[in-house]
Amino acid sequence: MARLDDLTRPPGRPPRLLYGGDYNPEQWPEETWAEDARLMRAAGVTSVTLGVFSWSRIEPTPGAREFGWLDRVMDLMHAHGVGVVLATPTSSPPPWLGRLHPETLPRDEDGRTEWWGSRQHFSHSSEAYRRHAAAITEDLAARYAHHPALTMWHINNEYCTYDWGDGAARTFRSWLKDRHGTLDALNTAWGTDFWGQRYGDWDEVLPPRRAHYLKNPAHVLDFRRYTSDLLLECYRAERDIVRRHTPHLPVTTNFMPFWSGQDGWAWAAEEDVVSVDVYPDPRDPAAGAYNAMIGDLTRSEAGGRPWMVMEQAAGAVNWRTVNHPKPYGLNRLWALQSVARGADAVHYFQWRQSRQGAETFHSAMLGHAGERGRVFRETVRIGEDLAVLGPHVAGSRVTTEIALLHDWNSWWADPGDGALSTRVDHAELVRAWHRALWDAHLPASFAHPHHDLSGHRLVLVPHLHLLDDPAIENLLAYVRGGGTLVCGFLTGIADRDGRVRPGGMDARLRELLGIDLLQEWWPLDEGEHADCGTFRGTLWSEELTPAPGAETVAAYRGGELDGRPAILRTGRAWYVSTLLEPAALSGLLASVAREAGVVPVLDALPEGVEAVRRGDLLFLLHHGGEPVTVPLPGRHRDLLTGTVTEGAVKLDRFGVAVLEEAP
Ligand code: GAL
């Protein structure tokens, strides 16, 4: 199987990191291409992604093939030592496809058509779309399979579409038949006797379209599973075509970061290289922690192997309400942060800022200010840094002893508008727990609840509403085998169909966690706190009766829950029935980690400094605005500057040091 390692550690050549971005030369006159190639070389660009949105250029009329321009770009890149990650252009079909085959256009929940004129206007269920996508993929792969510039395939772009139309209704039914077998089984799984929703004929089963009031959550859950699966089918069809032509080259498709629409575990298993697009907000004080989390998740999806940042912004994006540029140094900091967490390829959207179209105001490696602009200067600097780091870093691993469990099925099973509190947000809870570890300098990975957990000393479950039987067995076996487990509230409430377990929580889990009776859930309003003595709970609280033998580590004080456990522990299994305020959550997880034998990368780091080990190297990343001094015993050499430090390392605003031990 082809891997990123094949590109970053080519036989007989020094290891290297890939550096570059989306290159859209068709938006520019050919005279500009030579300048692009010159500036790419100046910036140390080694890799570009071509053709992401080029379908209408290659096939301007049905069946036409205009490859001449792409041949010239491929040759130019090769002549300048730039490898090409070639995209199948299937995320933006040409207007003629929608005109000739209106059924290729998706429908939204209200039945409205999503027309051409933007992008991603394709239905995963349309046979015509799939046929045309396969044909262009086939011809693209045949034409460039042996081109020396080709290094990797990039299938489609950010698969993130939904379809509630009639074509989708047909494929949804057939997906449901595969899953449930009979209509009776579907009626049982969905609990359709509630509100008289029982189906008597398969043709009555529709995607969960606009309805008068709350939808059936089990119906929505299956629709989300189905959508992820159908898009994955589209990906696989194109992947198999390109693999047939180039079995030796890796294939990827770029994920949106922590995106709810695709089951990242299932998708990553079908990729040779896992890649992600990540756009933290430069004004968000939590952005560094967020970038770290996306890195940890992507590395985990890649099974711990090196992964790829397929897109990030050199400066501002153009899709927030107000879009801020990155102050000098921040782009470099986040790029190197991804490398610290296992990325071996750092790409951007995009190489040259567009002068026309919807993303004219989105930054690029080469902005409107051109080669004299400060954004380009930073592009050059990052290229230099990556060139220095490549031989020391490429292929090395990040090791962790803590796993956070995450599963898209559980995310999809959250009860949505029918929940006791719509303030409970799966993604926010995962972020809060990861952030707590980040604050404590405890490196972590992510895992699926079915994964073998025995390699981790500590397993955390921030919020898995749905846990199927194999997942529960896995957690029990993990603790039996000596592991330490901490579960957040609403863990294991529901079975695989989203049905609440008898007693409000799986009985085996209740026994493990020391809960005799889960009496009532008490969600908290915005600004409302639950006093727990040394800390405050937010968002949620619970009326629990502990089982004999369970230890109440912290109890609620005052109000209805006075004296009830907020945190329970039974041996190595912990249950946390509220969301602790950030410092308290971080303190709790750090102390449980310590007891489980897990210590932070470094103690006593100045505010805003992150420490990560990758292979034998120590990355120090400073997210703050003022210079700091990090105490660090011993002698170290900073690979980025060549300087040797003794006893301490100085970091400027957004400064980074990549340290190896020095004699
Ligand atoms: C991504 C997309 C790119 C570009 C970028 C802008 O979602 O893949 O094509 O639109 O966002 O931030």
Short mmCIF file of all heavy atoms in Angstrom, two decimals, residues 265 300 400-407 444-462 464 467-487 491 509 512 572 596 598:
data_model
loop_
_atom_site.label_atom_id
_atom_site.label_comp_id
_atom_site.label_asym_id
_atom_site.label_seq_id
_atom_site.Cartn_x
_atom_site.Cartn_y
_atom_site.Cartn_z
N TRP A 265 -13.56 7.74 10.91
CA TRP A 265 -12.86 6.45 11.09
C TRP A 265 -13.06 5.58 9.86
O TRP A 265 -12.12 4.97 9.35
CB TRP A 265 -13.37 5.72 12.33
CG TRP A 265 -13.15 6.44 13.62
CD1 TRP A 265 -14.11 6.91 14.47
CD2 TRP A 265 -11.88 6.79 14.23
NE1 TRP A 265 -13.53 7.53 15.55
CE2 TRP A 265 -12.17 7.46 15.43
CE3 TRP A 265 -10.56 6.60 13.86
CZ2 TRP A 265 -11.17 7.95 16.29
CZ3 TRP A 265 -9.56 7.08 14.70
CH2 TRP A 265 -9.87 7.74 15.89
N SER A 300 -4.66 10.35 14.56
CA SER A 300 -5.29 9.13 15.06
C SER A 300 -6.06 8.43 13.95
O SER A 300 -6.02 7.20 13.84
CB SER A 300 -6.23 9.46 16.23
OG SER A 300 -5.55 10.22 17.20
N THR A 400 1.60 8.73 22.51
CA THR A 400 0.73 9.24 23.57
C THR A 400 0.26 8.08 24.44
O THR A 400 0.28 6.93 24.00
CB THR A 400 -0.52 9.92 22.99
OG1 THR A 400 -1.27 8.93 22.27
CG2 THR A 400 -0.17 11.06 22.05
N GLU A 401 -0.15 8.40 25.65
CA GLU A 401 -0.63 7.36 26.57
C GLU A 401 -2.10 7.57 26.95
O GLU A 401 -2.65 6.85 27.74
CB GLU A 401 0.23 7.37 27.83
CG GLU A 401 1.67 7.01 27.53
CD GLU A 401 2.55 7.10 28.76
OE1 GLU A 401 2.62 8.20 29.34
OE2 GLU A 401 3.13 6.08 29.14
N ILE A 402 -2.67 8.64 26.37
CA ILE A 402 -4.07 8.96 26.69
C ILE A 402 -4.89 8.91 25.40
O ILE A 402 -4.44 9.42 24.37
CB ILE A 402 -4.19 10.38 27.28
CG1 ILE A 402 -3.32 10.49 28.54
CG2 ILE A 402 -5.64 10.73 27.59
CD1 ILE A 402 -3.33 11.88 29.18
N ALA A 403 -6.06 8.31 25.47
CA ALA A 403 -6.95 8.31 24.30
C ALA A 403 -8.28 8.94 24.67
O ALA A 403 -8.85 8.65 25.73
CB ALA A 403 -7.17 6.90 23.81
N LEU A 404 -8.75 9.80 23.79
CA LEU A 404 -10.11 10.34 23.91
C LEU A 404 -10.98 9.55 22.93
O LEU A 404 -10.62 9.41 21.75
CB LEU A 404 -10.13 11.80 23.47
CG LEU A 404 -9.48 12.81 24.40
CD1 LEU A 404 -8.78 13.89 23.59
CD2 LEU A 404 -10.54 13.45 25.28
N LEU A 405 -12.10 9.05 23.40
CA LEU A 405 -12.95 8.28 22.49
C LEU A 405 -13.93 9.20 21.77
O LEU A 405 -14.52 10.10 22.36
CB LEU A 405 -13.73 7.21 23.25
CG LEU A 405 -12.90 6.17 23.99
CD1 LEU A 405 -13.79 4.99 24.40
CD2 LEU A 405 -11.73 5.67 23.16
N HIS A 406 -14.03 8.94 20.48
CA HIS A 406 -14.96 9.72 19.67
C HIS A 406 -15.56 8.80 18.62
O HIS A 406 -14.86 7.98 18.03
CB HIS A 406 -14.22 10.89 19.00
CG HIS A 406 -15.03 11.57 17.96
ND1 HIS A 406 -16.20 12.22 18.25
CD2 HIS A 406 -14.88 11.68 16.62
CE1 HIS A 406 -16.72 12.70 17.14
NE2 HIS A 406 -15.94 12.38 16.14
N ASP A 407 -16.85 8.99 18.37
CA ASP A 407 -17.52 8.18 17.35
C ASP A 407 -18.61 9.03 16.70
O ASP A 407 -19.45 9.61 17.39
CB ASP A 407 -18.15 6.93 18.02
CG ASP A 407 -18.90 6.07 17.03
OD1 ASP A 407 -18.74 6.26 15.81
OD2 ASP A 407 -19.69 5.20 17.48
N ALA A 444 -2.40 13.60 23.73
CA ALA A 444 -3.45 12.59 23.63
C ALA A 444 -3.70 12.24 22.17
O ALA A 444 -3.39 13.01 21.27
CB ALA A 444 -4.74 13.12 24.25
N SER A 445 -4.28 11.07 21.99
CA SER A 445 -4.76 10.67 20.67
C SER A 445 -6.26 10.45 20.78
O SER A 445 -6.82 10.51 21.87
CB SER A 445 -4.09 9.36 20.24
OG SER A 445 -2.71 9.58 20.07
N PHE A 446 -6.87 10.19 19.64
CA PHE A 446 -8.28 9.82 19.63
C PHE A 446 -8.40 8.35 19.28
O PHE A 446 -7.52 7.79 18.62
CB PHE A 446 -9.04 10.65 18.59
CG PHE A 446 -9.34 12.05 19.07
CD1 PHE A 446 -8.38 13.05 18.95
CD2 PHE A 446 -10.55 12.36 19.64
CE1 PHE A 446 -8.63 14.34 19.40
CE2 PHE A 446 -10.82 13.64 20.10
CZ PHE A 446 -9.87 14.63 19.97
N ALA A 447 -9.49 7.74 19.72
CA ALA A 447 -9.73 6.34 19.34
C ALA A 447 -11.22 6.12 19.21
O ALA A 447 -12.03 6.86 19.77
CB ALA A 447 -9.15 5.40 20.40
N HIS A 448 -11.56 5.11 18.42
CA HIS A 448 -12.95 4.69 18.28
C HIS A 448 -13.26 3.74 19.44
O HIS A 448 -12.38 2.99 19.87
CB HIS A 448 -13.12 3.98 16.93
CG HIS A 448 -14.52 3.57 16.64
ND1 HIS A 448 -15.08 2.41 17.14
CD2 HIS A 448 -15.49 4.19 15.93
CE1 HIS A 448 -16.33 2.33 16.72
NE2 HIS A 448 -16.61 3.40 15.99
N PRO A 449 -14.48 3.76 19.94
CA PRO A 449 -14.79 2.88 21.08
C PRO A 449 -14.61 1.38 20.81
O PRO A 449 -14.60 0.59 21.75
CB PRO A 449 -16.23 3.22 21.45
CG PRO A 449 -16.74 4.14 20.40
CD PRO A 449 -15.57 4.70 19.66
N HIS A 450 -14.46 0.99 19.55
CA HIS A 450 -14.18 -0.43 19.28
C HIS A 450 -12.68 -0.71 19.20
O HIS A 450 -12.29 -1.87 19.12
CB HIS A 450 -14.80 -0.88 17.95
CG HIS A 450 -16.29 -0.91 17.97
ND1 HIS A 450 -17.05 -1.19 16.85
CD2 HIS A 450 -17.19 -0.70 18.97
CE1 HIS A 450 -18.33 -1.14 17.16
NE2 HIS A 450 -18.44 -0.84 18.44
N HIS A 451 -11.86 0.32 19.16
CA HIS A 451 -10.42 0.08 19.00
C HIS A 451 -9.84 -0.65 20.20
O HIS A 451 -10.36 -0.56 21.31
CB HIS A 451 -9.67 1.42 18.87
CG HIS A 451 -9.82 2.05 17.52
ND1 HIS A 451 -9.42 3.33 17.25
CD2 HIS A 451 -10.32 1.57 16.35
CE1 HIS A 451 -9.68 3.63 15.98
NE2 HIS A 451 -10.23 2.58 15.43
N ASP A 452 -8.72 -1.30 19.96
CA ASP A 452 -7.97 -1.90 21.06
C ASP A 452 -7.41 -0.76 21.91
O ASP A 452 -6.62 0.05 21.44
CB ASP A 452 -6.83 -2.75 20.48
CG ASP A 452 -5.96 -3.34 21.57
OD1 ASP A 452 -6.29 -3.17 22.77
OD2 ASP A 452 -4.93 -3.96 21.23
N LEU A 453 -7.84 -0.70 23.16
CA LEU A 453 -7.47 0.43 24.01
C LEU A 453 -6.32 0.07 24.95
O LEU A 453 -5.86 0.92 25.73
CB LEU A 453 -8.69 0.88 24.84
CG LEU A 453 -9.91 1.28 24.00
CD1 LEU A 453 -11.12 1.51 24.91
CD2 LEU A 453 -9.61 2.52 23.17
N SER A 454 -5.86 -1.16 24.87
CA SER A 454 -4.93 -1.64 25.90
C SER A 454 -3.59 -0.90 25.88
O SER A 454 -2.88 -0.90 26.87
CB SER A 454 -4.71 -3.15 25.75
OG SER A 454 -4.19 -3.40 24.46
N GLY A 455 -3.26 -0.22 24.78
CA GLY A 455 -2.00 0.51 24.72
C GLY A 455 -2.05 1.85 25.44
O GLY A 455 -1.04 2.54 25.52
N HIS A 456 -3.23 2.24 25.93
CA HIS A 456 -3.35 3.55 26.59
C HIS A 456 -3.49 3.37 28.10
O HIS A 456 -4.24 2.52 28.56
CB HIS A 456 -4.59 4.30 26.08
CG HIS A 456 -4.59 4.47 24.60
ND1 HIS A 456 -3.84 5.42 23.95
CD2 HIS A 456 -5.24 3.79 23.62
CE1 HIS A 456 -4.03 5.34 22.67
NE2 HIS A 456 -4.87 4.36 22.42
N ARG A 457 -2.78 4.21 28.84
CA ARG A 457 -2.91 4.13 30.30
C ARG A 457 -4.21 4.77 30.77
O ARG A 457 -4.72 4.45 31.83
CB ARG A 457 -1.76 4.87 30.97
CG ARG A 457 -0.44 4.15 30.89
CD ARG A 457 0.61 5.04 31.49
NE ARG A 457 1.94 4.51 31.29
CZ ARG A 457 2.55 3.73 32.17
NH1 ARG A 457 1.97 3.42 33.30
NH2 ARG A 457 3.77 3.28 31.92
N LEU A 458 -4.69 5.73 29.99
CA LEU A 458 -5.88 6.47 30.40
C LEU A 458 -6.80 6.65 29.19
O LEU A 458 -6.35 7.06 28.12
CB LEU A 458 -5.44 7.85 30.94
CG LEU A 458 -6.53 8.85 31.32
CD1 LEU A 458 -7.45 8.30 32.41
CD2 LEU A 458 -5.89 10.16 31.79
N VAL A 459 -8.07 6.33 29.37
CA VAL A 459 -9.06 6.51 28.30
C VAL A 459 -10.15 7.45 28.80
O VAL A 459 -10.68 7.27 29.91
CB VAL A 459 -9.65 5.15 27.86
CG1 VAL A 459 -10.87 5.35 26.98
CG2 VAL A 459 -8.59 4.34 27.11
N LEU A 460 -10.46 8.44 27.98
CA LEU A 460 -11.47 9.44 28.37
C LEU A 460 -12.65 9.37 27.40
O LEU A 460 -12.47 9.26 26.19
CB LEU A 460 -10.86 10.84 28.29
CG LEU A 460 -9.56 11.06 29.06
CD1 LEU A 460 -9.04 12.48 28.84
CD2 LEU A 460 -9.77 10.81 30.55
N VAL A 461 -13.84 9.48 27.97
CA VAL A 461 -15.05 9.51 27.15
C VAL A 461 -15.75 10.83 27.43
O VAL A 461 -16.56 10.92 28.36
CB VAL A 461 -16.00 8.33 27.50
CG1 VAL A 461 -17.21 8.33 26.56
CG2 VAL A 461 -15.27 7.00 27.42
N PRO A 462 -15.44 11.87 26.66
CA PRO A 462 -16.08 13.16 26.94
C PRO A 462 -17.60 13.09 26.79
O PRO A 462 -18.33 13.61 27.61
CB PRO A 462 -15.49 14.10 25.89
CG PRO A 462 -14.24 13.44 25.42
CD PRO A 462 -14.46 11.97 25.58
N LEU A 464 -20.18 10.19 24.83
CA LEU A 464 -20.65 9.20 23.86
C LEU A 464 -22.02 8.73 24.28
O LEU A 464 -22.19 7.77 25.03
CB LEU A 464 -19.67 8.03 23.74
CG LEU A 464 -18.37 8.32 23.01
CD1 LEU A 464 -17.46 7.10 23.01
CD2 LEU A 464 -18.62 8.79 21.57
N LEU A 467 -23.56 4.06 22.72
CA LEU A 467 -22.49 3.05 22.79
C LEU A 467 -23.14 1.71 22.49
O LEU A 467 -24.05 1.28 23.22
CB LEU A 467 -21.86 3.02 24.19
CG LEU A 467 -20.81 4.07 24.55
CD1 LEU A 467 -20.36 3.89 25.99
CD2 LEU A 467 -19.61 4.02 23.62
N ASP A 468 -22.70 1.06 21.44
CA ASP A 468 -23.29 -0.24 21.15
C ASP A 468 -22.66 -1.31 22.06
O ASP A 468 -21.74 -1.02 22.83
CB ASP A 468 -23.18 -0.58 19.66
CG ASP A 468 -21.74 -0.67 19.19
OD1 ASP A 468 -20.83 -0.69 20.04
OD2 ASP A 468 -21.52 -0.72 17.96
N ASP A 469 -23.17 -2.54 21.97
CA ASP A 469 -22.71 -3.57 22.91
C ASP A 469 -21.20 -3.84 22.79
O ASP A 469 -20.52 -3.93 23.81
CB ASP A 469 -23.53 -4.85 22.73
CG ASP A 469 -24.93 -4.65 23.28
OD1 ASP A 469 -25.10 -3.77 24.15
OD2 ASP A 469 -25.85 -5.36 22.84
N PRO A 470 -20.66 -3.97 21.56
CA PRO A 470 -19.21 -4.21 21.50
C PRO A 470 -18.40 -3.09 22.15
O PRO A 470 -17.36 -3.34 22.78
CB PRO A 470 -18.91 -4.28 19.99
CG PRO A 470 -20.22 -4.60 19.35
CD PRO A 470 -21.30 -4.04 20.23
N ALA A 471 -18.88 -1.86 22.06
CA ALA A 471 -18.16 -0.73 22.66
C ALA A 471 -18.19 -0.86 24.19
O ALA A 471 -17.18 -0.66 24.86
CB ALA A 471 -18.79 0.59 22.23
N ILE A 472 -19.34 -1.23 24.72
CA ILE A 472 -19.44 -1.37 26.18
C ILE A 472 -18.53 -2.51 26.67
O ILE A 472 -17.78 -2.35 27.62
CB ILE A 472 -20.91 -1.57 26.59
CG1 ILE A 472 -21.61 -0.22 26.40
CG2 ILE A 472 -21.02 -2.05 28.04
CD1 ILE A 472 -23.08 -0.23 26.54
N GLU A 473 -18.59 -3.63 25.96
CA GLU A 473 -17.71 -4.76 26.32
C GLU A 473 -16.25 -4.32 26.29
O GLU A 473 -15.44 -4.71 27.12
CB GLU A 473 -17.90 -5.95 25.34
CG GLU A 473 -19.29 -6.59 25.38
CD GLU A 473 -19.62 -7.19 26.75
OE1 GLU A 473 -18.69 -7.41 27.54
OE2 GLU A 473 -20.82 -7.39 27.04
N ASN A 474 -15.92 -3.51 25.30
CA ASN A 474 -14.54 -3.04 25.13
C ASN A 474 -14.11 -2.19 26.32
O ASN A 474 -13.00 -2.35 26.84
CB ASN A 474 -14.43 -2.24 23.83
CG ASN A 474 -13.00 -2.12 23.34
OD1 ASN A 474 -12.17 -2.99 23.59
ND2 ASN A 474 -12.71 -1.02 22.67
N LEU A 475 -15.00 -1.30 26.77
CA LEU A 475 -14.66 -0.45 27.92
C LEU A 475 -14.49 -1.29 29.19
O LEU A 475 -13.58 -1.08 29.98
CB LEU A 475 -15.73 0.61 28.14
CG LEU A 475 -15.86 1.68 27.05
CD1 LEU A 475 -16.89 2.72 27.44
CD2 LEU A 475 -14.52 2.36 26.81
N LEU A 476 -15.40 -2.28 29.35
CA LEU A 476 -15.30 -3.13 30.55
C LEU A 476 -13.98 -3.91 30.54
O LEU A 476 -13.27 -3.98 31.54
CB LEU A 476 -16.48 -4.13 30.60
CG LEU A 476 -17.89 -3.56 30.65
CD1 LEU A 476 -18.93 -4.68 30.71
CD2 LEU A 476 -18.08 -2.64 31.85
N ALA A 477 -13.65 -4.44 29.36
CA ALA A 477 -12.42 -5.24 29.26
C ALA A 477 -11.20 -4.36 29.51
O ALA A 477 -10.22 -4.79 30.13
CB ALA A 477 -12.33 -5.89 27.89
N TYR A 478 -11.27 -3.13 29.04
CA TYR A 478 -10.15 -2.20 29.21
C TYR A 478 -9.88 -1.96 30.71
O TYR A 478 -8.74 -2.04 31.16
CB TYR A 478 -10.46 -0.89 28.49
CG TYR A 478 -9.48 0.21 28.82
CD1 TYR A 478 -8.17 0.16 28.34
CD2 TYR A 478 -9.85 1.29 29.62
CE1 TYR A 478 -7.25 1.15 28.66
CE2 TYR A 478 -8.94 2.28 29.95
CZ TYR A 478 -7.65 2.21 29.47
OH TYR A 478 -6.74 3.18 29.79
N VAL A 479 -10.94 -1.70 31.46
CA VAL A 479 -10.75 -1.44 32.89
C VAL A 479 -10.32 -2.73 33.61
O VAL A 479 -9.41 -2.71 34.45
CB VAL A 479 -12.02 -0.83 33.53
CG1 VAL A 479 -11.82 -0.62 35.03
CG2 VAL A 479 -12.35 0.50 32.85
N ARG A 480 -10.95 -3.84 33.23
CA ARG A 480 -10.55 -5.13 33.82
C ARG A 480 -9.07 -5.41 33.59
O ARG A 480 -8.37 -5.94 34.44
CB ARG A 480 -11.36 -6.28 33.18
CG ARG A 480 -12.58 -6.70 33.98
CD ARG A 480 -13.05 -8.11 33.57
NE ARG A 480 -13.12 -8.34 32.13
CZ ARG A 480 -14.21 -8.09 31.39
NH1 ARG A 480 -15.31 -7.62 31.94
NH2 ARG A 480 -14.20 -8.32 30.09
N GLY A 481 -8.59 -4.98 32.43
CA GLY A 481 -7.19 -5.22 32.07
C GLY A 481 -6.23 -4.24 32.72
O GLY A 481 -5.05 -4.24 32.38
N GLY A 482 -6.73 -3.35 33.58
CA GLY A 482 -5.82 -2.45 34.29
C GLY A 482 -5.86 -1.01 33.84
O GLY A 482 -5.10 -0.18 34.34
N GLY A 483 -6.73 -0.69 32.89
CA GLY A 483 -6.78 0.68 32.37
C GLY A 483 -7.60 1.60 33.27
O GLY A 483 -8.43 1.15 34.06
N THR A 484 -7.34 2.89 33.15
CA THR A 484 -8.10 3.90 33.89
C THR A 484 -9.05 4.58 32.92
O THR A 484 -8.65 5.01 31.83
CB THR A 484 -7.14 4.93 34.52
OG1 THR A 484 -6.26 4.23 35.39
CG2 THR A 484 -7.90 6.00 35.28
N LEU A 485 -10.30 4.70 33.34
CA LEU A 485 -11.35 5.22 32.46
C LEU A 485 -12.07 6.38 33.13
O LEU A 485 -12.46 6.27 34.30
CB LEU A 485 -12.36 4.09 32.18
CG LEU A 485 -13.60 4.44 31.36
CD1 LEU A 485 -13.23 4.67 29.90
CD2 LEU A 485 -14.62 3.30 31.46
N VAL A 486 -12.24 7.48 32.41
CA VAL A 486 -13.04 8.60 32.93
C VAL A 486 -14.16 8.87 31.93
O VAL A 486 -13.90 9.17 30.75
CB VAL A 486 -12.21 9.88 33.12
CG1 VAL A 486 -13.06 10.96 33.80
CG2 VAL A 486 -10.95 9.61 33.92
N CYS A 487 -15.40 8.79 32.38
CA CYS A 487 -16.55 9.02 31.49
C CYS A 487 -17.26 10.30 31.88
O CYS A 487 -17.54 10.54 33.06
CB CYS A 487 -17.56 7.88 31.59
SG CYS A 487 -16.92 6.32 31.00
N THR A 491 -22.90 9.21 29.14
CA THR A 491 -22.16 8.14 28.45
C THR A 491 -23.02 6.89 28.41
O THR A 491 -23.58 6.47 29.43
CB THR A 491 -20.86 7.82 29.22
OG1 THR A 491 -20.02 8.95 29.20
CG2 THR A 491 -20.13 6.65 28.58
N LEU A 509 -22.41 -0.57 32.44
CA LEU A 509 -21.64 0.65 32.66
C LEU A 509 -21.94 1.24 34.02
O LEU A 509 -21.06 1.72 34.72
CB LEU A 509 -22.00 1.69 31.60
CG LEU A 509 -21.14 1.78 30.35
CD1 LEU A 509 -21.57 2.97 29.53
CD2 LEU A 509 -19.66 1.88 30.70
N LEU A 512 -20.01 -0.58 36.47
CA LEU A 512 -18.58 -0.23 36.39
C LEU A 512 -18.29 1.12 37.03
O LEU A 512 -17.29 1.30 37.72
CB LEU A 512 -18.16 -0.20 34.90
CG LEU A 512 -16.72 0.19 34.62
CD1 LEU A 512 -15.80 -1.00 34.92
CD2 LEU A 512 -16.53 0.63 33.18
N ARG A 572 -10.60 2.11 39.23
CA ARG A 572 -10.00 2.93 38.16
C ARG A 572 -11.04 3.52 37.21
O ARG A 572 -10.68 4.06 36.17
CB ARG A 572 -9.00 2.08 37.37
CG ARG A 572 -7.72 1.75 38.14
CD ARG A 572 -6.78 0.93 37.30
NE ARG A 572 -7.44 -0.24 36.74
CZ ARG A 572 -7.61 -1.39 37.38
NH1 ARG A 572 -7.17 -1.54 38.61
NH2 ARG A 572 -8.24 -2.39 36.80
N ALA A 596 -2.51 7.36 36.99
CA ALA A 596 -2.39 6.27 36.01
C ALA A 596 -0.97 6.18 35.45
O ALA A 596 -0.70 5.39 34.54
CB ALA A 596 -3.39 6.51 34.88
N VAL A 598 0.78 8.77 33.98
CA VAL A 598 1.04 9.62 32.82
C VAL A 598 1.44 11.01 33.30
O VAL A 598 0.71 11.64 34.07
CB VAL A 598 -0.22 9.75 31.92
CG1 VAL A 598 0.13 10.50 30.64
CG2 VAL A 598 -0.80 8.38 31.61
#
